[in-house]
Structure formats: structure tokens, C-alpha cells
PDB file of all heavy atoms in Angstrom:
ATOM      1  N   ALA A  21     -43.903   1.261   4.558  1.00 95.00           N
ATOM      2  CA  ALA A  21     -45.350   1.029   4.669  1.00 95.00           C
ATOM      3  C   ALA A  21     -45.918   1.727   5.907  1.00 95.00           C
ATOM      4  O   ALA A  21     -46.946   2.405   5.836  1.00 95.00           O
ATOM      5  CB  ALA A  21     -45.637  -0.468   4.728  1.00 95.00           C
ATOM      6  N   ASN A  22     -45.249   1.587   7.040  1.00 95.00           N
ATOM      7  CA  ASN A  22     -45.728   2.210   8.263  1.00 95.00           C
ATOM      8  C   ASN A  22     -45.648   3.733   8.193  1.00 95.00           C
ATOM      9  O   ASN A  22     -46.573   4.437   8.621  1.00 95.00           O
ATOM     10  CB  ASN A  22     -44.926   1.705   9.462  1.00 95.00           C
ATOM     11  CG  ASN A  22     -45.279   0.275   9.831  1.00 95.00           C
ATOM     12  OD1 ASN A  22     -46.446  -0.089   9.854  1.00 95.00           O
ATOM     13  ND2 ASN A  22     -44.284  -0.547  10.108  1.00 95.00           N
ATOM     14  N   MET A  23     -44.554   4.244   7.662  1.00 94.00           N
ATOM     15  CA  MET A  23     -44.397   5.691   7.569  1.00 94.00           C
ATOM     16  C   MET A  23     -45.448   6.284   6.631  1.00 94.00           C
ATOM     17  O   MET A  23     -46.055   7.324   6.938  1.00 94.00           O
ATOM     18  CB  MET A  23     -42.986   6.033   7.084  1.00 94.00           C
ATOM     19  CG  MET A  23     -41.874   5.509   7.975  1.00 94.00           C
ATOM     20  SD  MET A  23     -41.791   6.319   9.587  1.00 94.00           S
ATOM     21  CE  MET A  23     -40.811   7.740   9.188  1.00 94.00           C
ATOM     22  N   CYS A  24     -45.659   5.649   5.490  1.00 94.00           N
ATOM     23  CA  CYS A  24     -46.628   6.183   4.523  1.00 94.00           C
ATOM     24  C   CYS A  24     -48.069   6.000   5.004  1.00 94.00           C
ATOM     25  O   CYS A  24     -48.930   6.821   4.679  1.00 94.00           O
ATOM     26  CB  CYS A  24     -46.425   5.523   3.161  1.00 94.00           C
ATOM     27  SG  CYS A  24     -44.954   6.123   2.309  1.00 94.00           S
ATOM     28  N   PHE A  25     -48.323   4.946   5.765  1.00 95.00           N
ATOM     29  CA  PHE A  25     -49.665   4.821   6.341  1.00 95.00           C
ATOM     30  C   PHE A  25     -49.959   6.005   7.254  1.00 95.00           C
ATOM     31  O   PHE A  25     -51.018   6.637   7.173  1.00 95.00           O
ATOM     32  CB  PHE A  25     -49.813   3.519   7.120  1.00 95.00           C
ATOM     33  CG  PHE A  25     -51.042   3.500   7.986  1.00 95.00           C
ATOM     34  CD1 PHE A  25     -52.300   3.316   7.433  1.00 95.00           C
ATOM     35  CD2 PHE A  25     -50.948   3.724   9.365  1.00 95.00           C
ATOM     36  CE1 PHE A  25     -53.441   3.344   8.227  1.00 95.00           C
ATOM     37  CE2 PHE A  25     -52.084   3.744  10.162  1.00 95.00           C
ATOM     38  CZ  PHE A  25     -53.332   3.550   9.585  1.00 95.00           C
ATOM     39  N   LEU A  26     -49.000   6.324   8.129  1.00 93.00           N
ATOM     40  CA  LEU A  26     -49.212   7.436   9.048  1.00 93.00           C
ATOM     41  C   LEU A  26     -49.333   8.762   8.300  1.00 93.00           C
ATOM     42  O   LEU A  26     -50.162   9.611   8.639  1.00 93.00           O
ATOM     43  CB  LEU A  26     -48.065   7.498  10.059  1.00 93.00           C
ATOM     44  CG  LEU A  26     -48.030   6.347  11.071  1.00 93.00           C
ATOM     45  CD1 LEU A  26     -46.708   6.311  11.804  1.00 93.00           C
ATOM     46  CD2 LEU A  26     -49.178   6.470  12.062  1.00 93.00           C
ATOM     47  N   LEU A  27     -48.500   8.935   7.283  1.00 90.00           N
ATOM     48  CA  LEU A  27     -48.518  10.188   6.529  1.00 90.00           C
ATOM     49  C   LEU A  27     -49.794  10.332   5.713  1.00 90.00           C
ATOM     50  O   LEU A  27     -50.377  11.420   5.635  1.00 90.00           O
ATOM     51  CB  LEU A  27     -47.286  10.244   5.614  1.00 90.00           C
ATOM     52  CG  LEU A  27     -46.940  11.589   4.994  1.00 90.00           C
ATOM     53  CD1 LEU A  27     -46.679  12.629   6.066  1.00 90.00           C
ATOM     54  CD2 LEU A  27     -45.717  11.445   4.091  1.00 90.00           C
ATOM     55  N   ALA A  28     -50.241   9.244   5.091  1.00 91.00           N
ATOM     56  CA  ALA A  28     -51.416   9.313   4.216  1.00 91.00           C
ATOM     57  C   ALA A  28     -52.723   9.140   4.962  1.00 91.00           C
ATOM     58  O   ALA A  28     -53.781   9.534   4.457  1.00 91.00           O
ATOM     59  CB  ALA A  28     -51.312   8.239   3.124  1.00 91.00           C
ATOM     60  N   SER A  29     -52.691   8.574   6.164  1.00 90.00           N
ATOM     61  CA  SER A  29     -53.939   8.346   6.888  1.00 90.00           C
ATOM     62  C   SER A  29     -54.536   9.637   7.418  1.00 90.00           C
ATOM     63  O   SER A  29     -55.755   9.733   7.606  1.00 90.00           O
ATOM     64  CB  SER A  29     -53.701   7.384   8.054  1.00 90.00           C
ATOM     65  OG  SER A  29     -52.866   7.994   9.030  1.00 90.00           O
ATOM     66  N   GLN A  30     -53.641  10.644   7.676  1.00 87.00           N
ATOM     67  CA  GLN A  30     -54.131  11.925   8.204  1.00 87.00           C
ATOM     68  C   GLN A  30     -55.075  11.678   9.387  1.00 87.00           C
ATOM     69  O   GLN A  30     -56.213  12.155   9.417  1.00 87.00           O
ATOM     70  CB  GLN A  30     -54.841  12.720   7.114  1.00 87.00           C
ATOM     71  CG  GLN A  30     -53.968  13.082   5.925  1.00 87.00           C
ATOM     72  CD  GLN A  30     -52.925  14.130   6.252  1.00 87.00           C
ATOM     73  OE1 GLN A  30     -53.240  15.219   6.692  1.00 87.00           O
ATOM     74  NE2 GLN A  30     -51.668  13.783   6.049  1.00 87.00           N
ATOM     75  N   ALA A  31     -54.586  10.920  10.351  1.00 88.00           N
ATOM     76  CA  ALA A  31     -55.412  10.536  11.498  1.00 88.00           C
ATOM     77  C   ALA A  31     -55.558  11.705  12.456  1.00 88.00           C
ATOM     78  O   ALA A  31     -54.885  11.794  13.495  1.00 88.00           O
ATOM     79  CB  ALA A  31     -54.791   9.333  12.202  1.00 88.00           C
ATOM     80  N   VAL A  32     -56.434  12.634  12.082  1.00 86.00           N
ATOM     81  CA  VAL A  32     -56.687  13.827  12.892  1.00 86.00           C
ATOM     82  C   VAL A  32     -58.196  14.060  12.955  1.00 86.00           C
ATOM     83  O   VAL A  32     -58.961  13.464  12.204  1.00 86.00           O
ATOM     84  CB  VAL A  32     -55.992  15.068  12.296  1.00 86.00           C
ATOM     85  CG1 VAL A  32     -54.479  14.904  12.331  1.00 86.00           C
ATOM     86  CG2 VAL A  32     -56.475  15.326  10.878  1.00 86.00           C
ATOM     87  N   LEU A  33     -58.568  14.946  13.859  1.00 84.00           N
ATOM     88  CA  LEU A  33     -59.965  15.389  13.970  1.00 84.00           C
ATOM     89  C   LEU A  33     -60.008  16.908  13.861  1.00 84.00           C
ATOM     90  O   LEU A  33     -59.172  17.594  14.470  1.00 84.00           O
ATOM     91  CB  LEU A  33     -60.562  14.946  15.311  1.00 84.00           C
ATOM     92  CG  LEU A  33     -60.783  13.441  15.494  1.00 84.00           C
ATOM     93  CD1 LEU A  33     -61.285  13.169  16.916  1.00 84.00           C
ATOM     94  CD2 LEU A  33     -61.767  12.906  14.471  1.00 84.00           C
ATOM     95  N   PRO A  34     -60.926  17.461  13.090  1.00 84.00           N
ATOM     96  CA  PRO A  34     -61.887  16.756  12.217  1.00 84.00           C
ATOM     97  C   PRO A  34     -61.199  16.219  10.978  1.00 84.00           C
ATOM     98  O   PRO A  34     -60.212  16.780  10.496  1.00 84.00           O
ATOM     99  CB  PRO A  34     -62.891  17.855  11.870  1.00 84.00           C
ATOM    100  CG  PRO A  34     -62.086  19.114  11.926  1.00 84.00           C
ATOM    101  CD  PRO A  34     -61.098  18.932  13.045  1.00 84.00           C
ATOM    102  N   ALA A  35     -61.706  15.113  10.466  1.00 79.00           N
ATOM    103  CA  ALA A  35     -61.082  14.440   9.332  1.00 79.00           C
ATOM    104  C   ALA A  35     -61.651  14.955   8.015  1.00 79.00           C
ATOM    105  O   ALA A  35     -62.802  15.373   7.933  1.00 79.00           O
ATOM    106  CB  ALA A  35     -61.312  12.938   9.431  1.00 79.00           C
ATOM    107  N   VAL A  36     -60.793  14.896   6.984  1.00 76.00           N
ATOM    108  CA  VAL A  36     -61.249  15.175   5.619  1.00 76.00           C
ATOM    109  C   VAL A  36     -61.938  13.913   5.105  1.00 76.00           C
ATOM    110  O   VAL A  36     -61.343  12.834   5.089  1.00 76.00           O
ATOM    111  CB  VAL A  36     -60.066  15.549   4.710  1.00 76.00           C
ATOM    112  CG1 VAL A  36     -60.533  15.706   3.267  1.00 76.00           C
ATOM    113  CG2 VAL A  36     -59.401  16.819   5.202  1.00 76.00           C
ATOM    114  N   THR A  37     -63.187  14.038   4.690  1.00 77.00           N
ATOM    115  CA  THR A  37     -63.960  12.852   4.290  1.00 77.00           C
ATOM    116  C   THR A  37     -64.292  12.828   2.811  1.00 77.00           C
ATOM    117  O   THR A  37     -64.912  11.871   2.350  1.00 77.00           O
ATOM    118  CB  THR A  37     -65.264  12.782   5.098  1.00 77.00           C
ATOM    119  OG1 THR A  37     -66.003  14.006   4.893  1.00 77.00           O
ATOM    120  CG2 THR A  37     -64.975  12.612   6.583  1.00 77.00           C
ATOM    121  N   LYS A  38     -63.912  13.852   2.056  1.00 86.00           N
ATOM    122  CA  LYS A  38     -64.200  13.866   0.629  1.00 86.00           C
ATOM    123  C   LYS A  38     -63.321  12.856  -0.095  1.00 86.00           C
ATOM    124  O   LYS A  38     -62.086  12.962  -0.046  1.00 86.00           O
ATOM    125  CB  LYS A  38     -63.979  15.262   0.062  1.00 86.00           C
ATOM    126  CG  LYS A  38     -64.945  16.304   0.597  1.00 86.00           C
ATOM    127  CD  LYS A  38     -64.672  17.667  -0.035  1.00 86.00           C
ATOM    128  CE  LYS A  38     -65.649  18.710   0.495  1.00 86.00           C
ATOM    129  NZ  LYS A  38     -65.397  20.049  -0.099  1.00 86.00           N
ATOM    130  N   PRO A  39     -63.924  11.866  -0.766  1.00 89.00           N
ATOM    131  CA  PRO A  39     -63.114  10.837  -1.446  1.00 89.00           C
ATOM    132  C   PRO A  39     -62.129  11.420  -2.455  1.00 89.00           C
ATOM    133  O   PRO A  39     -61.006  10.912  -2.598  1.00 89.00           O
ATOM    134  CB  PRO A  39     -64.159   9.955  -2.123  1.00 89.00           C
ATOM    135  CG  PRO A  39     -65.394  10.145  -1.297  1.00 89.00           C
ATOM    136  CD  PRO A  39     -65.362  11.569  -0.847  1.00 89.00           C
ATOM    137  N   ALA A  40     -62.523  12.475  -3.161  1.00 88.00           N
ATOM    138  CA  ALA A  40     -61.632  13.054  -4.163  1.00 88.00           C
ATOM    139  C   ALA A  40     -60.357  13.581  -3.522  1.00 88.00           C
ATOM    140  O   ALA A  40     -59.244  13.373  -4.035  1.00 88.00           O
ATOM    141  CB  ALA A  40     -62.351  14.172  -4.922  1.00 88.00           C
ATOM    142  N   ALA A  41     -60.493  14.278  -2.392  1.00 87.00           N
ATOM    143  CA  ALA A  41     -59.315  14.810  -1.699  1.00 87.00           C
ATOM    144  C   ALA A  41     -58.443  13.683  -1.149  1.00 87.00           C
ATOM    145  O   ALA A  41     -57.207  13.731  -1.217  1.00 87.00           O
ATOM    146  CB  ALA A  41     -59.768  15.741  -0.579  1.00 87.00           C
ATOM    147  N   ILE A  42     -59.097  12.657  -0.613  1.00 90.00           N
ATOM    148  CA  ILE A  42     -58.357  11.518  -0.053  1.00 90.00           C
ATOM    149  C   ILE A  42     -57.562  10.806  -1.146  1.00 90.00           C
ATOM    150  O   ILE A  42     -56.373  10.491  -0.974  1.00 90.00           O
ATOM    151  CB  ILE A  42     -59.331  10.546   0.640  1.00 90.00           C
ATOM    152  CG1 ILE A  42     -59.943  11.210   1.873  1.00 90.00           C
ATOM    153  CG2 ILE A  42     -58.616   9.252   1.023  1.00 90.00           C
ATOM    154  CD1 ILE A  42     -61.041  10.403   2.520  1.00 90.00           C
ATOM    155  N   LEU A  43     -58.191  10.559  -2.274  1.00 92.00           N
ATOM    156  CA  LEU A  43     -57.513   9.878  -3.377  1.00 92.00           C
ATOM    157  C   LEU A  43     -56.392  10.737  -3.954  1.00 92.00           C
ATOM    158  O   LEU A  43     -55.343  10.216  -4.359  1.00 92.00           O
ATOM    159  CB  LEU A  43     -58.523   9.515  -4.468  1.00 92.00           C
ATOM    160  CG  LEU A  43     -59.543   8.432  -4.092  1.00 92.00           C
ATOM    161  CD1 LEU A  43     -60.592   8.288  -5.187  1.00 92.00           C
ATOM    162  CD2 LEU A  43     -58.841   7.092  -3.855  1.00 92.00           C
ATOM    163  N   SER A  44     -56.598  12.053  -3.983  1.00 91.00           N
ATOM    164  CA  SER A  44     -55.558  12.941  -4.499  1.00 91.00           C
ATOM    165  C   SER A  44     -54.315  12.904  -3.619  1.00 91.00           C
ATOM    166  O   SER A  44     -53.180  12.848  -4.116  1.00 91.00           O
ATOM    167  CB  SER A  44     -56.087  14.377  -4.588  1.00 91.00           C
ATOM    168  OG  SER A  44     -57.114  14.473  -5.537  1.00 91.00           O
ATOM    169  N   GLU A  45     -54.507  12.939  -2.307  1.00 89.00           N
ATOM    170  CA  GLU A  45     -53.362  12.893  -1.389  1.00 89.00           C
ATOM    171  C   GLU A  45     -52.629  11.560  -1.502  1.00 89.00           C
ATOM    172  O   GLU A  45     -51.391  11.512  -1.508  1.00 89.00           O
ATOM    173  CB  GLU A  45     -53.838  13.131   0.038  1.00 89.00           C
ATOM    174  CG  GLU A  45     -54.326  14.554   0.277  1.00 89.00           C
ATOM    175  CD  GLU A  45     -54.907  14.730   1.651  1.00 89.00           C
ATOM    176  OE1 GLU A  45     -54.978  13.721   2.404  1.00 89.00           O
ATOM    177  OE2 GLU A  45     -55.297  15.858   2.001  1.00 89.00           O
ATOM    178  N   ALA A  46     -53.384  10.470  -1.584  1.00 92.00           N
ATOM    179  CA  ALA A  46     -52.757   9.155  -1.746  1.00 92.00           C
ATOM    180  C   ALA A  46     -52.009   9.082  -3.070  1.00 92.00           C
ATOM    181  O   ALA A  46     -50.881   8.563  -3.143  1.00 92.00           O
ATOM    182  CB  ALA A  46     -53.810   8.055  -1.675  1.00 92.00           C
ATOM    183  N   GLY A  47     -52.626   9.607  -4.125  1.00 93.00           N
ATOM    184  CA  GLY A  47     -51.983   9.604  -5.430  1.00 93.00           C
ATOM    185  C   GLY A  47     -50.707  10.410  -5.452  1.00 93.00           C
ATOM    186  O   GLY A  47     -49.743  10.049  -6.161  1.00 93.00           O
ATOM    187  N   ALA A  48     -50.664  11.507  -4.700  1.00 92.00           N
ATOM    188  CA  ALA A  48     -49.450  12.327  -4.660  1.00 92.00           C
ATOM    189  C   ALA A  48     -48.274  11.533  -4.112  1.00 92.00           C
ATOM    190  O   ALA A  48     -47.154  11.593  -4.653  1.00 92.00           O
ATOM    191  CB  ALA A  48     -49.696  13.570  -3.808  1.00 92.00           C
ATOM    192  N   LEU A  49     -48.494  10.777  -3.036  1.00 93.00           N
ATOM    193  CA  LEU A  49     -47.418   9.955  -2.472  1.00 93.00           C
ATOM    194  C   LEU A  49     -46.992   8.857  -3.442  1.00 93.00           C
ATOM    195  O   LEU A  49     -45.793   8.573  -3.596  1.00 93.00           O
ATOM    196  CB  LEU A  49     -47.867   9.337  -1.155  1.00 93.00           C
ATOM    197  CG  LEU A  49     -47.629  10.144   0.113  1.00 93.00           C
ATOM    198  CD1 LEU A  49     -48.126   9.368   1.324  1.00 93.00           C
ATOM    199  CD2 LEU A  49     -46.155  10.481   0.278  1.00 93.00           C
ATOM    200  N   VAL A  50     -47.960   8.222  -4.084  1.00 95.00           N
ATOM    201  CA  VAL A  50     -47.642   7.139  -5.024  1.00 95.00           C
ATOM    202  C   VAL A  50     -46.848   7.676  -6.207  1.00 95.00           C
ATOM    203  O   VAL A  50     -45.851   7.073  -6.635  1.00 95.00           O
ATOM    204  CB  VAL A  50     -48.933   6.445  -5.501  1.00 95.00           C
ATOM    205  CG1 VAL A  50     -48.619   5.469  -6.638  1.00 95.00           C
ATOM    206  CG2 VAL A  50     -49.589   5.708  -4.339  1.00 95.00           C
ATOM    207  N   VAL A  51     -47.261   8.818  -6.748  1.00 94.00           N
ATOM    208  CA  VAL A  51     -46.533   9.415  -7.871  1.00 94.00           C
ATOM    209  C   VAL A  51     -45.092   9.710  -7.467  1.00 94.00           C
ATOM    210  O   VAL A  51     -44.140   9.416  -8.220  1.00 94.00           O
ATOM    211  CB  VAL A  51     -47.241  10.702  -8.354  1.00 94.00           C
ATOM    212  CG1 VAL A  51     -46.344  11.493  -9.297  1.00 94.00           C
ATOM    213  CG2 VAL A  51     -48.542  10.342  -9.051  1.00 94.00           C
ATOM    214  N   ALA A  52     -44.905  10.307  -6.295  1.00 95.00           N
ATOM    215  CA  ALA A  52     -43.551  10.613  -5.828  1.00 95.00           C
ATOM    216  C   ALA A  52     -42.719   9.346  -5.686  1.00 95.00           C
ATOM    217  O   ALA A  52     -41.548   9.297  -6.104  1.00 95.00           O
ATOM    218  CB  ALA A  52     -43.622  11.353  -4.493  1.00 95.00           C
ATOM    219  N   ALA A  53     -43.314   8.299  -5.102  1.00 96.00           N
ATOM    220  CA  ALA A  53     -42.578   7.047  -4.908  1.00 96.00           C
ATOM    221  C   ALA A  53     -42.220   6.393  -6.234  1.00 96.00           C
ATOM    222  O   ALA A  53     -41.102   5.901  -6.416  1.00 96.00           O
ATOM    223  CB  ALA A  53     -43.404   6.082  -4.056  1.00 96.00           C
ATOM    224  N   VAL A  54     -43.172   6.385  -7.179  1.00 96.00           N
ATOM    225  CA  VAL A  54     -42.906   5.759  -8.478  1.00 96.00           C
ATOM    226  C   VAL A  54     -41.798   6.504  -9.216  1.00 96.00           C
ATOM    227  O   VAL A  54     -40.882   5.892  -9.790  1.00 96.00           O
ATOM    228  CB  VAL A  54     -44.198   5.728  -9.330  1.00 96.00           C
ATOM    229  CG1 VAL A  54     -43.884   5.329 -10.766  1.00 96.00           C
ATOM    230  CG2 VAL A  54     -45.206   4.761  -8.726  1.00 96.00           C
ATOM    231  N   LEU A  55     -41.852   7.837  -9.199  1.00 95.00           N
ATOM    232  CA  LEU A  55     -40.829   8.629  -9.892  1.00 95.00           C
ATOM    233  C   LEU A  55     -39.439   8.366  -9.323  1.00 95.00           C
ATOM    234  O   LEU A  55     -38.473   8.135 -10.059  1.00 95.00           O
ATOM    235  CB  LEU A  55     -41.168  10.117  -9.793  1.00 95.00           C
ATOM    236  CG  LEU A  55     -42.312  10.636 -10.667  1.00 95.00           C
ATOM    237  CD1 LEU A  55     -42.607  12.101 -10.356  1.00 95.00           C
ATOM    238  CD2 LEU A  55     -41.974  10.463 -12.141  1.00 95.00           C
ATOM    239  N   VAL A  56     -39.334   8.396  -7.997  1.00 96.00           N
ATOM    240  CA  VAL A  56     -38.016   8.267  -7.367  1.00 96.00           C
ATOM    241  C   VAL A  56     -37.484   6.841  -7.467  1.00 96.00           C
ATOM    242  O   VAL A  56     -36.345   6.614  -7.883  1.00 96.00           O
ATOM    243  CB  VAL A  56     -38.081   8.720  -5.894  1.00 96.00           C
ATOM    244  CG1 VAL A  56     -36.746   8.449  -5.206  1.00 96.00           C
ATOM    245  CG2 VAL A  56     -38.418  10.207  -5.811  1.00 96.00           C
ATOM    246  N   THR A  57     -38.305   5.863  -7.089  1.00 96.00           N
ATOM    247  CA  THR A  57     -37.806   4.486  -7.086  1.00 96.00           C
ATOM    248  C   THR A  57     -37.503   3.986  -8.496  1.00 96.00           C
ATOM    249  O   THR A  57     -36.498   3.289  -8.705  1.00 96.00           O
ATOM    250  CB  THR A  57     -38.826   3.545  -6.416  1.00 96.00           C
ATOM    251  OG1 THR A  57     -40.090   3.651  -7.086  1.00 96.00           O
ATOM    252  CG2 THR A  57     -39.003   3.896  -4.948  1.00 96.00           C
ATOM    253  N   SER A  58     -38.334   4.330  -9.459  1.00 96.00           N
ATOM    254  CA  SER A  58     -38.064   3.880 -10.832  1.00 96.00           C
ATOM    255  C   SER A  58     -36.781   4.508 -11.369  1.00 96.00           C
ATOM    256  O   SER A  58     -36.043   3.869 -12.135  1.00 96.00           O
ATOM    257  CB  SER A  58     -39.244   4.221 -11.745  1.00 96.00           C
ATOM    258  OG  SER A  58     -39.473   5.619 -11.788  1.00 96.00           O
ATOM    259  N   SER A  59     -36.488   5.748 -10.965  1.00 95.00           N
ATOM    260  CA  SER A  59     -35.244   6.388 -11.402  1.00 95.00           C
ATOM    261  C   SER A  59     -34.029   5.631 -10.883  1.00 95.00           C
ATOM    262  O   SER A  59     -33.060   5.399 -11.616  1.00 95.00           O
ATOM    263  CB  SER A  59     -35.208   7.843 -10.922  1.00 95.00           C
ATOM    264  OG  SER A  59     -36.266   8.592 -11.485  1.00 95.00           O
ATOM    265  N   PHE A  60     -34.077   5.227  -9.611  1.00 94.00           N
ATOM    266  CA  PHE A  60     -32.938   4.498  -9.049  1.00 94.00           C
ATOM    267  C   PHE A  60     -32.843   3.086  -9.615  1.00 94.00           C
ATOM    268  O   PHE A  60     -31.737   2.537  -9.715  1.00 94.00           O
ATOM    269  CB  PHE A  60     -33.051   4.442  -7.524  1.00 94.00           C
ATOM    270  CG  PHE A  60     -32.575   5.688  -6.833  1.00 94.00           C
ATOM    271  CD1 PHE A  60     -33.464   6.693  -6.503  1.00 94.00           C
ATOM    272  CD2 PHE A  60     -31.240   5.865  -6.537  1.00 94.00           C
ATOM    273  CE1 PHE A  60     -33.036   7.850  -5.878  1.00 94.00           C
ATOM    274  CE2 PHE A  60     -30.795   7.013  -5.918  1.00 94.00           C
ATOM    275  CZ  PHE A  60     -31.693   8.017  -5.578  1.00 94.00           C
ATOM    276  N   ILE A  61     -33.973   2.490  -9.974  1.00 94.00           N
ATOM    277  CA  ILE A  61     -33.940   1.143 -10.557  1.00 94.00           C
ATOM    278  C   ILE A  61     -33.412   1.186 -11.998  1.00 94.00           C
ATOM    279  O   ILE A  61     -32.573   0.369 -12.395  1.00 94.00           O
ATOM    280  CB  ILE A  61     -35.344   0.513 -10.513  1.00 94.00           C
ATOM    281  CG1 ILE A  61     -35.764   0.251  -9.070  1.00 94.00           C
ATOM    282  CG2 ILE A  61     -35.378  -0.796 -11.308  1.00 94.00           C
ATOM    283  CD1 ILE A  61     -37.220  -0.171  -8.910  1.00 94.00           C
ATOM    284  N   LEU A  62     -33.899   2.155 -12.774  1.00 93.00           N
ATOM    285  CA  LEU A  62     -33.507   2.245 -14.180  1.00 93.00           C
ATOM    286  C   LEU A  62     -32.109   2.822 -14.348  1.00 93.00           C
ATOM    287  O   LEU A  62     -31.428   2.531 -15.342  1.00 93.00           O
ATOM    288  CB  LEU A  62     -34.516   3.104 -14.948  1.00 93.00           C
ATOM    289  CG  LEU A  62     -35.944   2.548 -15.012  1.00 93.00           C
ATOM    290  CD1 LEU A  62     -36.875   3.544 -15.680  1.00 93.00           C
ATOM    291  CD2 LEU A  62     -35.955   1.220 -15.764  1.00 93.00           C
ATOM    292  N   LEU A  63     -31.675   3.635 -13.399  1.00 89.00           N
ATOM    293  CA  LEU A  63     -30.336   4.237 -13.451  1.00 89.00           C
ATOM    294  C   LEU A  63     -29.581   3.847 -12.183  1.00 89.00           C
ATOM    295  O   LEU A  63     -29.393   4.662 -11.276  1.00 89.00           O
ATOM    296  CB  LEU A  63     -30.424   5.758 -13.573  1.00 89.00           C
ATOM    297  CG  LEU A  63     -31.135   6.291 -14.822  1.00 89.00           C
ATOM    298  CD1 LEU A  63     -31.345   7.785 -14.714  1.00 89.00           C
ATOM    299  CD2 LEU A  63     -30.324   5.951 -16.081  1.00 89.00           C
ATOM    300  N   PRO A  64     -29.173   2.589 -12.078  1.00 89.00           N
ATOM    301  CA  PRO A  64     -28.552   2.112 -10.841  1.00 89.00           C
ATOM    302  C   PRO A  64     -27.214   2.784 -10.576  1.00 89.00           C
ATOM    303  O   PRO A  64     -26.540   3.255 -11.493  1.00 89.00           O
ATOM    304  CB  PRO A  64     -28.372   0.607 -11.094  1.00 89.00           C
ATOM    305  CG  PRO A  64     -28.291   0.487 -12.574  1.00 89.00           C
ATOM    306  CD  PRO A  64     -29.195   1.545 -13.120  1.00 89.00           C
ATOM    307  N   ARG A  65     -26.858   2.829  -9.307  1.00 85.00           N
ATOM    308  CA  ARG A  65     -25.557   3.389  -8.921  1.00 85.00           C
ATOM    309  C   ARG A  65     -24.447   2.496  -9.446  1.00 85.00           C
ATOM    310  O   ARG A  65     -24.479   1.284  -9.285  1.00 85.00           O
ATOM    311  CB  ARG A  65     -25.472   3.528  -7.403  1.00 85.00           C
ATOM    312  CG  ARG A  65     -24.156   4.117  -6.907  1.00 85.00           C
ATOM    313  CD  ARG A  65     -24.270   4.505  -5.454  1.00 85.00           C
ATOM    314  NE  ARG A  65     -25.201   5.609  -5.296  1.00 85.00           N
ATOM    315  CZ  ARG A  65     -25.777   5.941  -4.140  1.00 85.00           C
ATOM    316  NH1 ARG A  65     -25.535   5.218  -3.065  1.00 85.00           N
ATOM    317  NH2 ARG A  65     -26.592   6.966  -4.071  1.00 85.00           N
ATOM    318  N   ARG A  66     -23.452   3.113 -10.075  1.00 83.00           N
ATOM    319  CA  ARG A  66     -22.357   2.370 -10.698  1.00 83.00           C
ATOM    320  C   ARG A  66     -21.144   2.381  -9.769  1.00 83.00           C
ATOM    321  O   ARG A  66     -20.314   3.292  -9.807  1.00 83.00           O
ATOM    322  CB  ARG A  66     -22.012   3.004 -12.038  1.00 83.00           C
ATOM    323  CG  ARG A  66     -23.123   2.935 -13.086  1.00 83.00           C
ATOM    324  CD  ARG A  66     -23.298   1.512 -13.604  1.00 83.00           C
ATOM    325  NE  ARG A  66     -22.071   0.993 -14.168  1.00 83.00           N
ATOM    326  CZ  ARG A  66     -21.671   1.237 -15.424  1.00 83.00           C
ATOM    327  NH1 ARG A  66     -22.431   1.967 -16.229  1.00 83.00           N
ATOM    328  NH2 ARG A  66     -20.546   0.734 -15.881  1.00 83.00           N
ATOM    329  N   HIS A  67     -21.035   1.351  -8.940  1.00 81.00           N
ATOM    330  CA  HIS A  67     -19.889   1.292  -8.041  1.00 81.00           C
ATOM    331  C   HIS A  67     -18.599   0.994  -8.796  1.00 81.00           C
ATOM    332  O   HIS A  67     -17.517   1.288  -8.280  1.00 81.00           O
ATOM    333  CB  HIS A  67     -20.128   0.250  -6.950  1.00 81.00           C
ATOM    334  CG  HIS A  67     -21.003   0.744  -5.843  1.00 81.00           C
ATOM    335  ND1 HIS A  67     -20.562   1.604  -4.866  1.00 81.00           N
ATOM    336  CD2 HIS A  67     -22.318   0.535  -5.575  1.00 81.00           C
ATOM    337  CE1 HIS A  67     -21.548   1.875  -4.034  1.00 81.00           C
ATOM    338  NE2 HIS A  67     -22.625   1.247  -4.436  1.00 81.00           N
TER     339      HIS A  67
END
């Protein structure tokens, strides 16, 4: 949560303020997380 907040917050100046760009960047992280975590959940490591 902390790492993704820092990565997605883009706390810099000047800031990007267009909602479409902000939502796209947030969506990119969510898509990546859903793809990776669901793969490990659905295909668990077989010890």
C-alpha cells in the first residue's frame, strides 16, 4: 500500500492534473497487480 501510494501519487511539481491521465496510471498498476496476484492464487506453488 505504501509503495504503490508513492508510485501512483506522482508527488512532483508541476503535477499532472488531467483526471484521465491520473486514472490511466492508477489503472495500469491495478491491472498489473490483478494479473500477477490472481495468477499466483489460481496456480499456487506446489511444494
Side-chain angles (χ1 to χ4, degrees):
N22 287 317
M23 301 292 275
C24 286
F25 166 75
L26 291 167
L27 194 59
S29 67
Q30 299 289 302
V32 295
L33 291 176
V36 175
T37 57
K38 294 181 180 180
I42 293 173
L43 292 173
S44 294
E45 291 175 357
L49 271 181
V50 171
V51 167
V54 169
L55 286 175
V56 174
T57 56
S58 61
S59 298
F60 279 94
I61 293 171
L62 296 175
L63 299 171
R65 181 167 293 162
R66 296 288 302 277
H67 280 284

